[in-house]
Amino acid sequence: MKTEVKTLDFNTDWEYSPALESTDHIHIQEPTDLFISGEFIPGVRGKYFETINPANEEKIANVAEAEKADVDLAVKAARKAYDNVWSKMKPTERGKYIFRIARLIQERAREFAVIESLDGGKPIRESRDVDVPLSAAHFFYYAGWADKLEYAFPGRDAHPVGVAGQIIPWNFPLLMAAWKIAPALATGNTIVLKPAETTPLTAMKLAEIIQECDLPPGVVNIINGGGNTGQALVEHADVDKIAFTGSTEVGKFIMKTVVGTGKKYTLELGGKAANILFDDAPVDQAVEGIVNGIFFNQGHVCCAGSRLFVQENIAENVISKLKERMETLIVGDPLDKNTDIGAINSKIQLDKIKMYVDIGQKEGGSIFQSPCSLPKMGYWHAPTLFTDVSQSHRIVQEEIFGPVLAIQTFRTVDEVIMKANNTPYGLSGGVWTDKGSKIFSLSKKIRAGVIWANTFNKFDPSAPFGGYKESGLGREGGVEGLMPYVNLV
Ligand code: NAD
């Protein structure tokens, strides 16, 4: 018997009905104060700034801004908690607190996901399926290490470093907080964390959980503010370690500040990942991976596959399939479960993306953009690709941090390795091929911390992450992620 298989025609106008996630179940403190020594308190000078929803430019909450005096209060609280409680606590007990944080994130997963999408602009599907579960997984993973440090560092005694100052960006606010806080707690350090000024809210929700799970006051302190607040934390004399994730520009500045002070530091910085597609790869699967690699989270991903290298003989077919797929991407309300691409995080970031798109055209690149209609209010950018670009173009060399893909072709393996390595960055990369030998050969020759094979943007707490060259110093995640938070004797 013959079965008729019906195929869907994606070229017809196929509208999805809106599927909005509700905001009824979320609670945001108004105003949102600083979290110091286990309490929510206003700043010393009572200053507040607004955090807005980038999808409609409406204010969500007033957030207390920490100045130098507040940073000092937070560091003092962290020092006191370190000396009196946390560094003396049995590792098994420390582990229990971290497990508790992980479980409470899971319990409040919906609330976290909605707040993340409201404050940051990312689609709810991503906040719900990536950011929040991965954050909980990070706490679970490092909770498990708390009482097993002798296995992480056999034959050595691992001592905590002391007070860690941690500064994070806006692209994965809760997840970056988890990447920083979980290993620091597991190894016995206390913390002052500063989220990015455009996305403070999920970190402050995490502060509520930390209070709820009775973590001793001062073990984790969370303060908000912009570059000045971050700088005050970096310069504070009683901070023993700085963990920074953000731009290469600020990372270099931090490095200059801490060199010679005796502070430990790790830097997770920018990227310009090469996604390499060979003619023996399954093309449709690769196209899906390329789209995910650059348009996931509006391209606000340090490891985004922003440069595509396609083997010349399949380039025409791949580019045409990519354009077709881009036409079906849904740009719109981050809270709609159908949305593929949400809002750009801020006006500053949108202007930067537009500037690069302009530069790309002026330098002679051919542009293609999804023919989507963008909402009138808020910050939006259509998925964009450039062809007819070369290694010397700025959009091929510089990090854009938006949904903009630059495509080049190659003929040989040596050529593509040379091209892929020809940037100041070295955070991540991708290889698409049917041949395991090519995967192993390329992943050794491409100077990047992570190489994905026949997939992209996959994360796991047990896998270390970090960069070469101007993409950073040190590793986060995995056993390696414990190292920056210990002194080994
Ligand atoms: P940014 O460097 O502007 O800001 C990052 C954080 O640093 C924010 O909290 C900010 O307030 C703070 N800051 C700014 N100036 C400071 C100063 N002088 N001293 C101390 N702190 C200061 O970066 P961004 O625009 O928020 O984030 C985007 C960048 O982050 C991109 O370059 C991206 O590649 C990078 N990033 C890297 C990783 C990674 O793991 N390698 C992960 C996410 C983002």
Side-chain angles (χ1 to χ4, degrees), residues 50-374:
E50 291 182 353
T51 184
I52 63 157
N53 178 345
N56 58 19
E57 298 170 58
E58 282 172 16
K59 182 177 101 176
I60 309 175
N62 288 297
V63 179
E65 182 175 340
E67 300 192 36
K68 234 177 165 170
D70 303 295
V71 172
D72 189 48
L73 269 182
V75 173
K76 283 199 170 103
R79 175 61 60 193
K80 193 170 158 200
Y82 178 77
D83 288 341
N84 297 343
V85 192
W86 198 245
S87 62
K88 294 181 179 160
M89 191 179 279
K90 275 171 111 179
T92 40
E93 294 305 308
R94 278 207 308 264
K96 284 183 197 166
Y97 283 108
I98 310 171
F99 275 123
R100 218 174 283 169
I101 296 172
R103 281 196 298 270
L104 283 173
I105 292 177
Q106 285 185 321
E107 270 177 30
R108 305 261 197 96
R110 267 184 82 201
E111 194 180 7
F112 271 110
V114 171
I115 297 176
E116 200 71 300
S117 287
L118 277 178
D119 205 21
K122 65 172 61 189
I124 186 74
R125 275 207 326 254
E126 274 168 34
S127 327
R128 184 196 64 192
D129 299 345
V130 180
D131 297 59
V132 178
L134 267 178
S135 301
H138 239 79
F139 280 102
F140 276 121
Y141 176 77
Y142 281 109
W145 272 118
D147 61 354
K148 300 174 194 70
L149 295 179
E150 69 264 36
Y151 300 102
F153 308 107
R156 314 284 298 270
D157 276 339
H159 295 274
V161 171
V163 174
Q166 307 181 323
I167 299 170
I168 55 174
W170 43 260
N171 60 341
F172 290 91
L174 179 67
L175 185 59
M176 289 298 108
W179 278 28
K180 297 274 180 284
I181 294 175
L185 288 184
T187 42
N189 301 275
T190 58
I191 293 159
V192 179
L193 174 95
K194 191 201 84 64
E197 54 273 39
T198 54
T199 51
L201 295 181
T202 42
M204 297 320 287
K205 199 38 70 187
L206 185 62
E208 285 177 28
I209 278 184
I210 285 168
Q211 193 183 44
E212 203 177 314
C213 75
D214 283 334
L215 193 76
V219 173
V220 175
N221 306 275
I222 306 184
I223 56 172
N224 284 300
N228 289 341
T229 313
Q231 194 172 334
L233 184 57
V234 172
E235 288 172 351
H236 198 291
D238 205 25
V239 169
D240 302 297
K241 187 228 153 29
I242 293 292
F244 174 77
T245 298
S247 60
T248 296
E249 190 190 353
V250 176
K252 284 182 181 175
F253 180 78
I254 289 178
M255 195 169 174
K256 283 184 196 149
T257 311
V258 299
V259 161
T261 61
K263 285 180 182 149
K264 279 188 145 209
Y265 61 96
T266 38
L267 305 170
E268 296 281 351
L269 310 175
K272 194 75 189 173
N275 219 342
I276 300 169
L277 176 50
F278 285 96
D279 60 4
D280 57 7
V283 170
D284 290 328
Q285 188 187 326
V287 164
E288 210 46 47
I290 291 156
V291 165
N292 171 42
I294 180 62
F295 300 131
F296 169 67
N297 197 16
Q298 298 72 250
H300 295 338
V301 186
C302 49
C303 47
S306 52
R307 292 180 298 154
L308 172 64
F309 294 98
V310 196
Q311 203 153 18
E312 198 177 79
N313 53 326
I314 55 163
E316 205 183 317
N317 181 31
V318 168
I319 293 167
S320 132
K321 279 181 183 263
L322 262 175
K323 288 179 179 173
E324 252 175 55
R325 180 66 180 98
M326 282 166 71
E327 283 172 8
T328 66
L329 290 173
I330 301 174
V331 182
D333 190 342
L335 288 186
D336 191 326
K337 291 169 201 125
N338 298 315
T339 296
D340 297 305
I341 299 191
I344 301 300
N345 181 262
S346 66
K347 167 105 179 34
I348 294 177
Q349 189 56 29
L350 179 60
D351 290 344
K352 184 179 160 197
I353 298 167
K354 284 181 174 166
M355 178 193 83
Y356 273 111
V357 168
D358 202 36
I359 290 172
Q361 287 174 288
K362 284 195 178 126
E363 286 187 336
S366 304
I367 186 171
F368 171 83
Q369 293 189 305
S370 305
C372 52
S373 62
L374 302 178

Side-chain angles (χ1 to χ4, degrees), residues 273-276 303 305 426-431 446 448-453 455-457:
N275 219 342
I276 300 169
C303 47
L427 192 59
S428 60
V431 184
I446 300 215
V450 182
I451 309 280
W452 287 289
T455 185
F456 209 87
N457 274 341

